[in-house]
Amino acid sequence: MTETTECPLGACERRSPVVAHEAAGCAEPSDAQEAVVILERARAMVDPALRAALMTLPATVRRVALYHFGWEDAEGRPAQGNTGKAVRPALVLTAASALGGSGARAAAVRAAVAVELIHNFTLLHDDVMDRDATRRHRPTAWTVFGDAGAIVTGDALQALALRLLAEDSHPASSAAAVRLADCVLELCEGQQADTALERRAPRDVTLHEVLAMAESKTGALLGCACALGALYAGVDGEDVAALDAFGRQAGLAFQLIDDVIGIWGDPRCTGKPAGADLAVRKKSLPVVAALTSGTPAGGELAALYAAPCEKEGIDAIARAVERAGGRDWAQAEAAERMSRAVEALTRAVPDPESAGGLLTLAEFVTRRTR
């Protein structure tokens, strides 16, 4: 189902995020070609600098990092793995270009690498804490190298990101380093909140709490990526704040759809077992929306979430979440967050043509299927 709303920029139709299940091909929406081009261009610009940065790490840490990024296998042999979509570095480069042109985009490559390093530092740590065994269709780093190996490598990536900015001669590098460090603190706050929420009874968690946690864990880094691009384009003040707001709201939309995929996504597309979040009783956004719905299905879900995990019960939990409105709420809320994102972007980049790349990326990640 597609819903069309007026585009505040007047450039084109904007559609509500949806999850299209195309199991055979795991296809993205048919209009995603432009976003794929932007992401591939970003990956081509960022990967050489990212590889060069990783090669400066100590050998034992470097091995884990290269495995995590998909460039080596568990034995240290060259591999052609999946390094991810590069959404966050693409946002840095596209924001810089939107406000400062191609020169600003080229100057922001180091900042884009720093953001990608921070993102992967969080992935390494999250996988350990969540005990996730699979990422990008291969075993996670901690399952191969142990908890300590993954944690220390994550720490090293964080330090490397901040060193890249500290060594950068660009006038914006100091402000960018401070902003990125503040973002890491917010990411840690969000992770701590997430951990604390998981220890609480299902009925004791509110939607406000999980939305605030999601903004810290996901929205903060996407907002920071856009803000760094703005800084490297030479703007400051309100424009940087507006780009940060755009990224945060798009990040919340992203997390909402990611949580939907975590419950109903096809494992052949996601690379994770079906219902993995439900199996560990994760209080994702659709689940909490269902738990707080006040519906009979919400009460049923609370009972199911309080019971021991049984593989055959995952489908029943997913059906209860859907009957209680969790899936519909998540998709509608994602559409609302995208609307707020577009409003924020309009304040900083009122020209539709200049803003087009950022809008394309935001729509891509909130209308994806995996």
Side-chain angles (χ1 to χ4, degrees), residues 83-103:
T83 57
K85 289 185 173 68
V87 169
R88 291 154 189 83
L91 285 171
V92 176
L93 300 178
T94 307
S97 179
L99 289 163
S102 59

Side-chain angles (χ1 to χ4, degrees), residues 11 13 16 34 53 61 77 112 126 137 145 153 178 183 191 217 254 266 292 298 309 311 320 335 339 357:
E13 289 184 341
S16 300
E34 184 181 352
V61 175
R77 296 171 299 214
D126 281 356
H137 302 274
F145 300 99
T153 301
V178 171
C183 179
Q191 181 61 38
K217 279 196 66 174
F254 171 92
D266 189 315
T292 58
C309 177
K311 185 175 181 181
S339 177

Side-chain angles (χ1 to χ4, degrees), residues 40-337:
E40 288 178 347
R41 183 186 303 129
R43 182 58 78 192
M45 294 181 70
V46 167
D47 274 1
L50 178 60
R51 280 178 175 267
L54 293 177
M55 295 307 294
T56 68
L57 293 171
T60 53
V61 175
R62 181 170 68 243
R63 181 184 174 190
V64 181
L66 290 173
Y67 172 84
H68 169 74
F69 278 98
W71 286 324
E72 287 187 359
D73 65 16
E75 304 302 321
R77 296 171 299 214
Q80 296 295 323
N82 179 6
T83 57
K85 289 185 173 68
V87 169
R88 291 154 189 83
L91 285 171
V92 176
L93 300 178
T94 307
S97 179
L99 289 163
S102 59
R105 180 175 63 232
V109 168
R110 185 180 287 252
V113 172
V115 168
E116 184 74 338
L117 288 168
I118 292 297
H119 174 53
N120 283 276
F121 137 67
T122 68
L123 296 182
L124 283 161
H125 283 199
D126 281 356
D127 285 343
V128 173
M129 286 183 274
D130 296 340
R131 310 315 286 174
D132 285 337
T134 305
R135 180 174 293 282
R136 299 168 183 162
H137 302 274
R138 68 197 316 228
T140 46
W142 72 269
T143 67
V144 177
F145 300 99
D147 289 2
I151 292 169
V152 170
T153 301
D155 293 341
L157 296 187
Q158 179 189 168
L160 182 58
L162 294 174
R163 189 181 76 186
L164 284 176
L165 293 178
E167 293 176 345
D168 194 356
S169 60
H170 193 281
S173 63
S174 178
V178 171
R179 198 170 196 102
L180 190 60
D182 285 342
C183 179
V184 170
L185 294 174
E186 188 172 355
L187 292 171
C188 293
E189 180 184 23
Q191 181 61 38
Q192 179 63 33
D194 190 18
T195 302
L197 289 175
E198 293 305 316
R199 292 195 296 265
R200 287 163 53 184
R203 290 183 182 274
D204 293 343
V205 177
T206 68
L207 264 179
H208 173 76
E209 288 176 310
V210 290
L211 282 167
M213 178 271 294
E215 180 174 351
S216 293
K217 279 196 66 174
T218 304
L221 188 54
L222 270 72
C224 182
C226 295
L228 261 59
L231 287 170
Y232 271 73
V235 303
D236 54 20
E238 293 183 0
D239 287 343
V240 175
L243 262 293
D244 183 89
F246 163 75
R248 282 175 179 270
Q249 294 300 323
L252 273 173
F254 171 92
Q255 188 59 58
L256 284 153
I257 296 303
D258 194 63
D259 284 355
V260 170
I261 293 171
I263 298 174
W264 294 282
D266 189 315
R268 290 173 292 177
C269 305
T270 65
K272 294 184 178 182
D277 288 352
L278 301 180
V280 297
R281 302 299 191 261
K282 186 174 179 62
K283 297 181 182 71
S284 63
L285 287 157
V287 167
V288 175
L291 287 168
T292 58
S293 65
T295 63
E300 176 189 343
L301 175 63
L304 289 168
Y305 247 51
C309 177
E310 296 181 3
K311 185 175 181 181
E312 57 270 20
I314 299 300
D315 288 344
I317 294 174
R319 288 193 297 270
V321 175
E322 187 154 16
R323 290 201 314 275
R327 185 174 186 171
D328 288 342
W329 174 85
Q331 292 184 324
E333 185 68 14
E336 169 61 22
R337 296 295 177 167

